[in-house]
Amino acid sequence: MAALFALAFVGIDSLLGRTATLVLYPPAAWLALRLGARRYHDLGRSAWWLLLLLVPLLGPAVVAIELFLRGSARGDNRFGDDARLVAHDYHAVG
């Protein structure tokens, strides 16, 4: 996601100017929050924990530790099947 954002930013900046790159931020923020919510669900926790991002300094640090360093919850939880056991077929369409 970061690489795609960077490529789009550089392309739009060179073609249309820095102000035009502002259109990239809402979709990037939406995708980042969506990925964070899915990761919290893998941990067996509610996505409401993302509200910690609003707490200066400590909030983003706690969220980063939770999302990047903790392993998924063992077994199924209220958000779905065990994330470690679900097989994804990336070649299937649909």
Side-chain angles (χ1 to χ4, degrees):
M1 187 179 107
L4 183 63
F5 179 85
L7 285 172
F9 186 91
V10 170
I12 291 174
D13 184 32
S14 65
L15 291 174
L16 303 172
R18 180 66 50 106
T19 307
T21 61
L22 293 175
V23 299
L24 295 174
Y25 289 97
W30 180 78
L31 282 172
L33 289 173
R34 186 161 161 87
L35 288 171
R38 289 190 64 168
R39 181 68 181 114
Y40 263 120
H41 289 173
D42 286 346
L43 294 170
R45 300 176 111 182
S46 172
W48 287 104
W49 283 90
L50 288 170
L51 288 176
L52 284 174
L53 292 170
L54 299 175
V55 177
L57 299 177
L58 185 60
V62 170
V63 170
I65 289 169
E66 290 277 318
L67 298 184
F68 297 135
L69 300 179
R70 288 193 59 208
S72 297
R74 297 202 181 280
D76 299 344
N77 60 40
R78 64 184 174 154
F79 301 106
D81 298 333
D82 189 345
R84 296 170 297 128
L85 301 177
V86 176
H88 297 286
D89 185 6
Y90 294 105
H91 299 290
V93 177

